[in-house]
Amino acid sequence: MKYSKAQIFYHWVSVMLLIIMTLSGLAYTYDWLGKGVINLHQIVGQLFIALLAIRLFARLKRRATSTPPAQSGIQAAMARIVHVGFYGCLIAYVATGYVSASGLGDPALLAPLNQAFARSDLGEQILETHFMLKWVLLGLLTLHIAAVLKHQFWDKDGTLANMTFATRKP
């Protein structure tokens, strides 16, 4: 069973937004493009928050695709763990990022949180958590891509077609 066209769209737009946030976050951290790039990072982050909420709602409404018949129970369990981990990490990532951005002098947020809180000791810990979560996200992404490549080139089971607009070959 394929994902719906909307779910496929949400997935690939999420990928695009995450790439933009990664590049703008790196540009800000290493001052490649000046400090104004953080505004792009925050605006795209807020778009990602809205998209993530839509994705979560869609995922709850329409469950994941069924497991390929040749897939072992361990592989199916790993897929569930990685996907739940992705959602949990992304939720934590945007929440910690929002708190952190609220501590900036002039945040580009629709509704920044209390700046004193964002700059407090707890706010600093939240910022450190945001930075640490990028490694968790990178690990999950690596596992996800490795699994996609395994299904595409080793198993050749058409799993990738579930998340593309292409029609699946019989």
Side-chain angles (χ1 to χ4, degrees):
M1 177 175 87
K2 274 183 79 85
Y3 285 98
S4 71
K5 287 182 180 177
Q7 287 173 302
I8 295 168
F9 176 78
Y10 302 151
H11 176 271
W12 292 109
V13 171
S14 295
V15 169
M16 180 190 68
L17 293 177
L18 284 170
I19 289 169
I20 293 169
M21 285 192 302
T22 299
L23 294 175
S24 61
L26 287 170
Y28 176 72
T29 300
Y30 296 107
D31 199 18
W32 293 336
L33 302 172
K35 297 300 179 190
V37 73
I38 196 64
N39 289 339
L40 172 66
H41 188 76
Q42 294 171 60
I43 291 165
V44 173
Q46 291 172 97
L47 290 172
F48 186 76
I49 289 170
L51 184 62
L52 184 59
I54 292 168
R55 280 192 76 174
L56 287 168
F57 178 75
R59 182 70 185 257
L60 292 172
K61 189 173 176 170
R62 182 180 171 142
R63 304 306 300 169
T65 60
S66 56
T67 303
Q71 193 173 21
S72 72
I74 292 172
Q75 289 178 352
M78 285 298 297
R80 279 191 293 280
I81 290 167
V82 169
H83 281 96
V84 168
F86 250 131
Y87 281 109
C89 186
L90 289 172
I91 291 167
Y93 205 52
V94 297
T96 58
Y98 203 88
V99 171
S100 301
S102 295
L104 295 172
D106 188 21
L109 301 176
L110 293 175
L113 302 176
N114 180 286
Q115 194 174 57
F117 167 71
R119 291 183 174 182
S120 69
D121 289 343
L122 179 58
E124 289 296 319
Q125 289 175 345
I126 291 170
L127 175 62
E128 289 301 318
T129 301
H130 184 69
F131 290 146
M132 184 269 311
L133 283 171
K134 71 181 167 208
W135 298 110
V136 175
L137 192 57
L138 182 61
L140 291 166
L141 179 63
T142 301
L143 287 171
H144 184 66
I145 291 172
V148 168
L149 293 173
K150 175 197 170 286
H151 281 285
Q152 185 67 19
F153 298 111
W154 183 280
D155 299 340
K156 297 180 182 177
D157 60 10
T159 299
L160 180 60
N162 290 335
M163 195 47 79
T164 65
F165 291 107
T167 53
R168 182 182 265 207
K169 294 178 184 176

